[in-house]
Amino acid sequence: MIEQSLPALAKALATKEISSVELTQLYLDRIARHNPQLNAFITVDPARSLAQAHAADARLARGEGGPLTGIPIAHKDIFCTQGWLTTCASKMLSNFISPYDAAVITRFKAAGAVLLGKTNMDEFAMGSSNETSFFGPVKNPWNLTCVPGGSSGGSAAAVAARLAPAATGTDTGGSIRQPAALCNLTGMKPTYGVVSRYGMIAFASSLDQAGPLGRSAADCAVLLNSMAGFDERDSTSLDRPGEDYSREINAVTDGQPLAGLKIGLPAEFFGDGCSPEVMQLVEQAIAGYRKLGAETVAIRLPSMGLSVAAYYVIAPAEASSNLARFDGVRYGHRAPDYQDLNEMYSRSRAQGFGAEVKRRILIGTYVLSHGYYDAYYLQAQRIRRLIASDFAEAFRQCDVIIGPTSPSTAFKLGEKAADPVQMYLSDIYTIAVNLAGLPAISLPCGFAGGLPAGLQLIGNYFSEARLLNVAHRYQQANAWHLQSPAEL
Ligand code: GLN
């Protein structure tokens, strides 16, 4: 059961081969057994999950089930969940029980999915290794001495270790795609505005986007079908006609399913900076795509090299503003001792935030301050525009852009923790996508030294169904995504 796809689980539930209560209990047992080692979950609440499973079984018995009814799904602890602890992996919110549900949670509830638990992450989603969590690092199920990637590392580790059939994540600069790559999963960052940010704790609002993490592109399509949609409570949510993201996956194809597809190979993705082992696997995957009928074209993304620098001005600037709300007044951590209001604020924040979050707040406040705004923030915004124009130009020559997701396979716990710049470079291939607001997907493309590597596909705005299809056709012809780590 634990190796099944979401459609297979839905079928098993519909035919009463298994009940939602049994399926949920199976995963709760696995969490109880393996989570002490992995630390993938911050909160599990078996009684609540099983109550939802009972309700799902009743709905299934009435014949009112949908593709996710009764299936347990793990959610990153950045999504507010009514009645559940919602910490964002920070001491600041370590006592915060959300009074309301994020839009994503409401949508999964409406679909009848079971909330299996809240997953560990980097504090306020700032990081690439899950080591900045107040609740301790997450281990990579492929090698317990390695990181699972971040910031959605708990979600990735949980799905890879089969403690959950699928999970949600959020991606501000790569936090769905990079952990997917490091844990042998498929993960998608949708076009900015496709999934509502309502109730998703804000890091950098103009970059943050929620998306699915699953074992295949087909599973991600099922998840995205439930997550996407207009929400008037998020002013950047896009009011577009509903889409079935599985439609191209389910379409019948012949021997050359990707005939006519033009794949762009940006020179900037194939130079220095990527480990030779990962690059070799990426090249093999490109050869695989040619066999499926795709043709490749050389393209350029000339401003790509500036993306990490621009991101580390814009994201901290927005974070410094978003995190101003955590002041110890209405909710969250409050310092026990203080003399006056100012000391209450400063002590609560000094105690509540970890080192990386403080670093971002300081950088962000600095780049927005009088005299530096023009030199840093405005320049970064200009670069952001150039990066978006690069992609617009590239998509005149190709349908999708291909490259590595991460420059290396999973690195050792502690290896980069002391060097923020090395850590920031983990996202060198993912960040430009967020700056441009484009959709992108990471999918497994092989192993180096026993650790998985990820292939990234980037599409034009609203090409999610196309991207999922291009990933799915590869997964029909190659079985990397079906490999699971050894039982712990
Ligand atoms: N690693 C990047 C950062 O630390 C991206 C994080 C994310 O996508 N949430 O900001």
Side-chain angles (χ1 to χ4, degrees), residues 94 124 157 193 195 233 267 309 336 387 398:
S94 55
F124 285 104
V195 178
R233 298 167 301 178
I387 289 169
C398 64

Side-chain angles (χ1 to χ4, degrees), residues 68 79 103-108 110-111 168 188-197 209-212 220-231 234 237-247 462 464-465 468:
L68 284 172
F79 294 102
V104 164
I105 302 294
T106 304
R107 287 184 156 271
F108 274 104
T168 55
M188 172 171 253
K189 183 245 161 219
T191 305
Y192 183 79
V194 160
V195 178
S196 169
R197 291 183 297 108
Q209 187 63 199
C220 284
V222 172
L223 295 169
L224 190 59
N225 274 343
S226 147
M227 297 174 81
F230 174 63
D231 179 2
D234 169 2
S237 168
L238 295 165
D239 194 357
R240 307 181 74 246
E243 266 192 73
D244 174 8
Y245 294 102
S246 305
R247 66 183 186 272
F462 308 118
E464 284 82 3
L468 288 160

Side-chain angles (χ1 to χ4, degrees), residues 293-473:
E295 45 178 304
T296 51
V297 286
I299 57 160
R300 295 296 309 267
L301 297 169
S303 305
M304 184 66 204
L306 301 171
S307 59
V308 173
Y311 174 90
Y312 279 99
V313 172
I314 293 169
E318 294 186 21
S320 74
S321 166
N322 273 325
L323 271 59
R325 77 191 65 182
F326 302 107
D327 55 10
V329 175
R330 285 147 300 191
Y331 55 88
H333 175 74
R334 180 183 294 180
D337 308 304
Y338 48 85
Q339 300 296 325
D340 56 24
L341 184 64
N342 269 330
E343 200 173 278
M344 196 272 278
Y345 290 150
S346 57
R347 285 200 181 174
S348 299
R349 287 169 68 80
Q351 294 166 7
F353 294 135
E356 184 60 28
V357 175
K358 285 178 183 153
R359 181 179 297 124
R360 307 272 180 126
I361 293 174
L362 289 174
I363 295 171
T365 309
Y366 179 77
V367 300
L368 290 176
S369 59
H370 184 73
Y372 295 102
Y373 179 90
D374 291 0
Y376 295 108
Y377 185 72
L378 219 54
Q379 284 298 88
Q381 292 290 19
R382 290 194 178 113
I383 293 169
R384 184 173 191 176
R385 167 56 56 199
L386 291 178
I387 289 169
S389 315
D390 279 3
F391 279 114
E393 182 55 36
F395 286 123
R396 277 193 266 279
Q397 298 160 58
C398 64
D399 304 305
V400 298
I401 295 172
I402 212 166
T405 304
S406 162
S408 70
T409 54
F411 44 93
K412 295 272 179 213
L413 283 150
E415 188 181 320
K416 300 187 183 180
D419 185 345
V421 174
Q422 275 311 308
M423 191 69 88
Y424 296 171
L425 289 173
S426 318
D427 296 313
I428 190 154
Y429 299 121
T430 48
I431 272 176
V433 164
N434 301 73
L435 289 169
L438 292 164
I441 190 166
S442 178
L443 63 150
C445 67
F447 293 82
L451 289 168
L455 178 76
Q456 183 176 211
L457 302 172
I458 305 168
N460 212 342
Y461 301 105
F462 308 118
S463 65
E464 284 82 3
R466 185 78 179 277
L467 283 178
L468 288 160
N469 179 49
V470 174
H472 174 68
R473 297 304 163 206

